[in-house]
Amino acid sequence: HARSSQWRLAAAIAAVEVEKGDSFDRLGSLSQVTGVLGCQWGDEGKGKLVDILAEHFDLVARCQGGSNAGHTIYNADGKKFALHLVPSGILNEKTLCVIGNGVVVHLPGLFDEIDGLESNGVSCEGRILVSDRAHLLFDLHQVIDGLREEELGHSFIGTTKRGIGPCYSSKVIRNGLRVSDLRHMDTFGEKLEILMRDAAARFKGFKYSADLLKDEVNRYKKFAERLEPFIADTIHVMHESIKKKKKILVEGGQATMLDIDFGTYPFVTSSSPSAGGICTGLGIPPRCLGDLVGVVKSYTTRVGSGPFPTEILGKGGDMLRVAGMEFGTTTGRPRRCGWIDIVALKYCCQINGLSSLNLTKLDVLSDFSEIKLGVTYKQIGGKIYESFPVDLQALEQIQVEYEVMPGWKCDISSIRKYEDLPLAARQYVQRIEELVGIPVHYIGVGPGRDALIYK
Ligand code: 2SA
Ligand code: GDP
Ligand code: MG
């Protein structure tokens, strides 16, 4: 009896070690500079993976976007945090969080976020660096975002109205203000006046006044003081970290299908959420990039207007929205839902050169008796598209061909080992791997930190 219980104990220890080993291989062995990128239209669950990976990295950095992003994560006690500008590494107390030069920063929003974290026991002091080259996103950019959407009428983009497009426009047209301008408050007002007058000249809904300018400059004087300890030459920080063999995890916001170049333009965001954004938004040379993990929902969602070939209208879509709790993390808007889109996914994989995938929210498909995969796009007349088509007219007329697989119809949310997943669930994962040609290393079966299977 004593011997058999010893064996049982040994077997239990071995099982724990195997589990540890699996997760260490999948987490600890990632390259020095690793990126986590969205591979659909956003909200794939990037924040959760970054939060889990953070303990294996020294730095977690954002390279693009702004507070349009909404990354929902849960700490070890199951407490929920919705992050927008602060990188999802913040819950891991040893991680240094970097907001890179490619990010557009709304300071009132950033301070609110920091205050919210601090009041929930997450210390931010000395743990967040903001690039001196990052552009400042002013309230006026948010006002313009709303005015532009109004002007577009029924062809509105469906932006988050967080001022992202207008701020990147200021950057590109070269009248934007950067974090480093906060160190020169003597000329800050002149620069802001140019920006404000430009906005007023273009938009009747935005009125310039000397009082408005004065108030804003005074407000930013206070912000400048508060931000000073956070400001850093993050390019230098990145390069020193690389030299010292520190590990850097880059957290993508939005996703490749919302990329200003590669996405469904004009229904896109105004930054580069694909791999190239890591180099331009952090000053990391391409040859330093290593693993790039693509995050893919087991189905597809999109918030805002624009093409969505595998969208399910009606009951099926509602079922996914309810089961997956598909509402915007930033705006609370209901997300449009549909089947996984292999054509779009292959396109994302090509653009980003992904090394592995994190398939998320597999648990959400558990109630479906049939699961579909959109595998081919056909034109009217039957010709198959070789890649994701460029124009909106083509996308509107597309006929999607689906493969249908059986569902598993049971709760998988407490499963932690790949082998324990029902056969139909494993077949679904394997079919995605076959179709896309990239291995799935992580499978999400719930929102919590622990709800991850290593394959
Ligand atoms: P913007 O605000 O100019 O970047 O909007 C342009 C398009 O980009 C989409 N976009 C997003 N899509 C999904 N998730 C995002 N973050 C939030 C979230 C969204 C929310 O995590 O849920 O709360 O509504 C995000 N940010 C931008 C946007 O919907 C437009 O289609
Ligand atoms: P992100 O923008 O890519 O970080 O994703 P969001 O946080 O906006 O949206 C993803 C949502 O799905 C969040 O509410 C997460 O808590 C949740 N989530 C992430 N992974 C899983 C999963 O595997 N299963 C379930 N049920 N929820 C998940
Ligand atoms: Mg999100």
Side-chain angles (χ1 to χ4, degrees), residues 42-46 68-72 83 254 328-330 335:
D43 311 321
E44 298 88 353
K46 300 172 290 291
N68 50 345
H71 299 161
T72 314
L83 300 169
Q254 295 82 46
T329 306
T330 302
R335 295 175 182 149

Side-chain angles (χ1 to χ4, degrees), residues 37-40 256-257 274-275 292-296 341-357 432-433 435-439:
L37 301 174
C39 288
Q40 291 158 320
T256 296
M257 298 312 291
S274 44
L292 292 174
V293 184
V295 187
V296 185
D341 183 336
I342 299 294
V343 181
L345 190 52
K346 277 185 179 166
Y347 173 70
C348 287
C349 293
Q350 283 173 343
I351 289 166
N352 296 308
L354 301 172
S355 37
S356 63
L357 297 177
I432 293 169
E433 287 181 317
L435 288 166
V436 176
I438 292 177

Side-chain angles (χ1 to χ4, degrees), residues 42-48 69-74 80 88 251 254 295 297 323-329 335 359-364 443-448 451:
D43 311 321
E44 298 88 353
K46 300 172 290 291
K48 174 184 155 182
H71 299 161
T72 314
I73 55 178
Y74 293 83
K80 181 175 167 175
S88 299
E251 173 179 27
Q254 295 82 46
V295 187
K297 230 176 249 190
M325 294 196 286
E326 295 298 352
F327 296 90
T329 306
R335 295 175 182 149
L359 190 67
T360 66
K361 303 188 98 162
L362 191 64
D363 54 305
V364 174
I443 300 164
V445 289

Side-chain angles (χ1 to χ4, degrees), residues 288-302:
C288 289
L289 299 186
D291 290 311
L292 292 174
V293 184
V295 187
V296 185
K297 230 176 249 190
S298 302
Y299 47 99
T300 309
T301 62
R302 165 161 212 172

Side-chain angles (χ1 to χ4, degrees), residues 91 293 370 374:
L91 298 191
V293 184
E370 278 188 343

Side-chain angles (χ1 to χ4, degrees), residues 137-208:
L137 189 152
F138 293 96
D139 289 5
L140 78 88
H141 289 121
Q142 300 190 337
V143 174
I144 296 173
D145 201 349
L147 293 172
R148 275 199 183 278
E149 286 285 85
E150 262 172 45
E151 273 186 13
L152 286 170
H154 66 269
S155 43
F156 68 97
I157 307 284
T159 74
T160 57
K161 299 194 183 160
R162 293 302 185 272
I164 306 301
C167 186
Y168 278 114
S169 301
S170 301
K171 173 177 176 173
V172 172
I173 217 160
R174 291 161 298 194
N175 63 10
L177 279 81
R178 301 194 290 178
V179 165
S180 63
D181 288 310
L182 294 166
R183 286 180 165 157
H184 307 282
M185 281 320 279
D186 50 332
T187 52
F188 192 89
E190 283 163 37
K191 290 178 184 162
L192 189 55
E193 183 177 345
I194 293 172
L195 198 65
M196 280 186 166
R197 284 189 186 278
D198 189 36
R202 168 65 181 80
F203 295 97
K204 280 199 194 92
F206 180 78
K207 302 259 179 291
Y208 171 79

Side-chain angles (χ1 to χ4, degrees), residues 51-174:
D51 170 57
I52 292 170
L53 289 177
E55 67 169 303
H56 299 271
F57 287 82
D58 300 290
L59 275 83
V60 175
R62 280 278 306 273
C63 61
Q64 46 68 233
S67 48
N68 50 345
H71 299 161
T72 314
I73 55 178
Y74 293 83
N75 71 6
D77 305 326
K79 195 178 206 177
K80 181 175 167 175
F81 293 84
L83 300 169
H84 303 285
L85 266 167
V86 174
S88 299
I90 197 74
L91 298 191
N92 181 60
E93 54 191 30
K94 288 196 196 119
T95 308
L96 183 64
C97 292
V98 176
I99 296 176
N101 58 278
V103 178
V104 286
V105 183
H106 183 242
L107 286 181
L110 177 63
F111 292 140
D112 281 351
E113 213 173 311
I114 290 175
D115 291 343
L117 284 162
E118 295 265 0
S119 67
N120 278 293
V122 182
S123 110
C124 296
E125 232 186 272
R127 297 193 44 223
I128 299 176
L129 300 180
V130 181
S131 167
D132 49 8
R133 286 176 169 84
H135 274 251
L136 293 172
L137 189 152
F138 293 96
D139 289 5
L140 78 88
H141 289 121
Q142 300 190 337
V143 174
I144 296 173
D145 201 349
L147 293 172
R148 275 199 183 278
E149 286 285 85
E150 262 172 45
E151 273 186 13
L152 286 170
H154 66 269
S155 43
F156 68 97
I157 307 284
T159 74
T160 57
K161 299 194 183 160
R162 293 302 185 272
I164 306 301
C167 186
Y168 278 114
S169 301
S170 301
K171 173 177 176 173
V172 172
I173 217 160
R174 291 161 298 194

